[in-house]
């Protein structure tokens, strides 16, 4: 059995290398997509009392058995709850320079990869068996330091046991991967081609295509959502296919657009702010905002909302399944891997976790 698994892993790595080198096999567009089905979160939201202080938590991740939160470093970065009872079972992750310590862990670095919990920080990536008591001192995370070429690595994730991926500044592609065994770097997934930029100004391109990336738990899909463009991109790792889903919005960003480098993106209008991925669906956090000058505010800028906060639920084929209207406070969230529930934290309520049942 182990030999078969090893051969399958080698085959998958060869397939990945082939598509990384050859580029995307195909690209499919779906423009001005809208959602036929709308659900209101507060109409069926359950509040569950918990014991620890969750006021400073920045993000959360749901595994098959646990709910894990990431907060400010107050003795430990991570809190681990039993998913069924939501009882606290442990805490871990101290700030420091030792092999077991963390250096500014990223919320975007919290992912599930197969049977592994993956945690990325500023300098390295750690993984642990989800079936172990990974929060206890007796169980150590395996740790891989990023090569200097990957620092800083934004939105880090583990594509497979031997491949660390993320976004690297000044890269010619969206995603850069590092083969741990071969010590080889590979870049893939082109930037969108409907806006032209001067290649001599890569920072301009990176700024306008600022995005959030996630990988599906089984490593089959890489998801990209964009801050300044109402766009969701779905990259099929196995086939190399790329789907681009343009969301219908108040600005009519893509209406009647031919897609031939004639669309302009404004750097004062925001669309997507975060994205999470389950086994079946993409959950993209969406709110249209405009950034305006405000001499009275800190930094001289303020934001004005043009739409409600929403979660856009999209499948890996690029179909718009439904949107979930969120209350203004709902920002920190995670879907369960089986898509039965959504979990939320309230920024002003420190002793409750909110649970929302998802329809079949």
């Amino acid at each position: 059995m182990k030999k078969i698994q090893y051969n399958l892993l080698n085959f998958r790595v060869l397939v990945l290398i082939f598509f990384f080198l050859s580029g995307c096999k195909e690209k499919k567009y779906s423009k001005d997509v809208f959602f036929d089905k709308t659900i209101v979160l507060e109409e069926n939201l359950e509040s569950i009392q918990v014991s620890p202080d969750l006021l400073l938590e920045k993000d959360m991740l749901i595994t098959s058995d646990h709910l894990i939160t990431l907060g400010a470093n107050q003795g430990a970065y991570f809190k681990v709850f039993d998913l069924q009872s939501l009882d606290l079972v442990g805490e871990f992750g101290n700030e420091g320079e030792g092999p077991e310590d963390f250096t500014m862990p990223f919320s975007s670095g919290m992912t599930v990869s197969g049977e592994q919990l993956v945690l990325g920080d500023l300098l390295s990536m750690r993984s642990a068996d989800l079936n172990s008591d990974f929060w206890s001192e007796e169980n150590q995370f395996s740790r891989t330091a990023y090569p200097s070429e990957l620092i800083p690595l934004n939105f880090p994730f583990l594509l497979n046991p031997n491949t660390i991926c993320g976004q690297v500044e000044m890269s010619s592609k969206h995603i850069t991967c590092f083969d741990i065994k071969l010590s080889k770097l590979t870049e893939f997934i082109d930037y969108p081609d409907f806006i032209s930029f001067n290649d001599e100004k890569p920072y301009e391109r990176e700024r306008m295509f600022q995005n959030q990336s996630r990988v599906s738990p089984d490593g089959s899909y890489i998801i990209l959502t964009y801050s300044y463009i109402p766009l969701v991109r779905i990259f099929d790792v196995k086939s190399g296919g790329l789907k681009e889903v343009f969301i219908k919005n108040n600005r009519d960003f893509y209406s009647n657009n031919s897609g031939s480098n004639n669309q302009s993106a404004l750097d004062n209008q925001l669309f997507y702010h975060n994205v999470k991925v389950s086994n079946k669906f993409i959950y993209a956090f969406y709110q249209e905002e405009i950034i305006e000058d405000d001499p009275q505010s800190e930094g001289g800028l303020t934001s004005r909302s043009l739409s409600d906060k929403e979660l856009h639920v999209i499948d890996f084929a690029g179909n718009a399944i439904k949107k979930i209207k969120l209350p203004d406070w709902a920002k920190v969230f995670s879907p369960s891997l089986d898509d039965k529930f959504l979990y939320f934290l309230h920024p002003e309520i420190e002793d409750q976790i909110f649970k929302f049942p998802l329809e079949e």
Side-chain angles (χ1 to χ4, degrees), residues 264-334:
S264 62
L266 301 179
D267 61 0
N268 69 330
Q269 295 189 3
L270 300 176
F271 296 96
Y272 282 107
H273 302 262
N274 195 2
V275 62
K276 299 291 182 73
V277 184
S278 69
N279 284 328
K280 294 183 179 179
F281 298 113
I282 301 157
Y283 296 83
F285 186 94
Y286 180 94
Q287 184 178 34
E288 294 178 42
E289 294 181 296
I290 186 167
I291 308 300
E292 300 174 321
D293 293 329
D294 183 3
Q296 304 301 319
S297 66
E298 184 177 353
L301 295 172
T302 188
S303 64
R304 177 167 55 89
S305 299
L306 301 179
S307 73
D308 294 328
K309 289 182 178 179
E310 300 171 348
L311 279 185
H312 291 174
V313 184
I314 301 169
D315 67 17
F316 297 127
N319 298 311
I321 305 302
K322 58 190 170 187
K323 67 179 178 181
I324 303 172
K325 293 186 67 173
L326 304 177
D328 190 59
W329 59 264
K331 185 176 182 180
V332 178
F333 75 97
S334 182

Side-chain angles (χ1 to χ4, degrees), residues 167-215:
Q167 299 174 22
V168 178
E169 294 178 358
M170 302 295 289
S171 171
S172 62
K173 305 281 188 177
H174 256 315
I175 302 295
T176 301
C177 286
F178 174 65
D179 187 304
I180 299 170
K181 289 187 175 181
L182 300 179
S183 297
K184 180 181 179 181
L185 293 171
T186 304
E187 296 177 328
F188 69 110
I189 305 183
D190 290 329
Y191 284 96
D193 58 6
F194 50 84
I195 301 176
S196 59
F197 288 99
N198 188 341
D199 290 337
E200 296 178 359
K201 298 180 179 180
Y203 276 121
E204 179 184 2
R205 178 191 60 200
E206 288 184 9
R207 178 173 61 86
M208 294 312 302
F209 287 131
Q210 177 179 314
N211 65 283
Q212 310 84 33
S213 61
R214 294 277 180 175
V215 64

Side-chain angles (χ1 to χ4, degrees), residues 250-265:
N250 291 329
R251 186 188 160 200
D252 289 333
F253 194 97
Y254 290 98
S255 292
N256 303 316
N257 176 36
S258 66
S260 57
N261 296 336
N262 62 356
Q263 183 62 252
S264 62

Side-chain angles (χ1 to χ4, degrees), residues 8 40 45 58 67 87 89 96 136 145 155 160 242 250 265 286 336 344:
L8 287 174
V40 179
L45 191 62
K58 299 183 292 185
L67 182 152
D87 292 334
V89 297
S136 67
F155 296 95
N160 59 55
L242 178 64
N250 291 329
Y286 180 94
S336 60
F344 293 85

Side-chain angles (χ1 to χ4, degrees), residues 53-275:
D53 184 346
L54 295 176
L55 198 57
L56 298 178
E57 305 307 291
K58 299 183 292 185
D59 208 345
M60 73 163 77
L61 174 70
I62 307 298
T63 73
S64 53
D65 297 310
H66 297 98
L67 182 152
I68 305 168
T69 65
L70 168 63
N73 180 28
Q74 295 181 314
Y77 277 115
F78 303 96
K79 295 181 176 70
V80 183
F81 298 82
D82 177 87
L83 188 58
Q84 298 302 316
S85 65
L86 288 183
D87 292 334
L88 182 71
V89 297
E91 302 181 12
F92 69 97
N94 296 316
E95 173 75 22
E97 299 180 357
E100 300 177 16
D101 297 327
F102 285 80
T103 304
M104 297 177 63
F106 298 122
S107 60
S108 61
M110 298 173 61
T111 59
V112 170
S113 178
E115 296 299 320
Q116 297 287 304
L117 167 66
V118 180
L119 301 173
D121 68 6
L122 190 64
L123 301 177
S124 64
M125 179 168 286
R126 292 170 171 82
S127 61
D129 188 345
L130 281 173
N131 297 316
S132 69
D133 294 338
F134 51 82
W135 58 88
S136 67
E137 295 181 1
E138 292 78 13
N139 292 275
Q140 303 297 324
F141 282 79
S142 61
R143 178 178 180 270
T144 301
Y146 305 140
S148 58
E149 297 92 334
L150 290 184
I151 298 177
L153 185 67
N154 300 309
F155 296 95
F157 60 87
L158 198 65
L159 188 61
N160 59 55
N162 296 320
T163 310
I164 294 174
C165 297
Q167 299 174 22
V168 178
E169 294 178 358
M170 302 295 289
S171 171
S172 62
K173 305 281 188 177
H174 256 315
I175 302 295
T176 301
C177 286
F178 174 65
D179 187 304
I180 299 170
K181 289 187 175 181
L182 300 179
S183 297
K184 180 181 179 181
L185 293 171
T186 304
E187 296 177 328
F188 69 110
I189 305 183
D190 290 329
Y191 284 96
D193 58 6
F194 50 84
I195 301 176
S196 59
F197 288 99
N198 188 341
D199 290 337
E200 296 178 359
K201 298 180 179 180
Y203 276 121
E204 179 184 2
R205 178 191 60 200
E206 288 184 9
R207 178 173 61 86
M208 294 312 302
F209 287 131
Q210 177 179 314
N211 65 283
Q212 310 84 33
S213 61
R214 294 277 180 175
V215 64
S216 62
D218 64 358
S220 295
Y221 297 92
I222 296 172
I223 310 302
L224 302 170
T225 60
Y226 292 79
S227 299
Y228 299 117
I229 307 171
L231 171 64
V232 177
R233 301 175 91 202
I234 306 165
F235 180 77
D236 187 323
V237 174
K238 184 177 180 181
S239 72
L242 178 64
K243 297 181 177 67
E244 295 189 336
V245 181
F246 306 109
I247 302 299
K248 181 73 174 177
N249 56 89
N250 291 329
R251 186 188 160 200
D252 289 333
F253 194 97
Y254 290 98
S255 292
N256 303 316
N257 176 36
S258 66
S260 57
N261 296 336
N262 62 356
Q263 183 62 252
S264 62
L266 301 179
D267 61 0
N268 69 330
Q269 295 189 3
L270 300 176
F271 296 96
Y272 282 107
H273 302 262
N274 195 2
V275 62

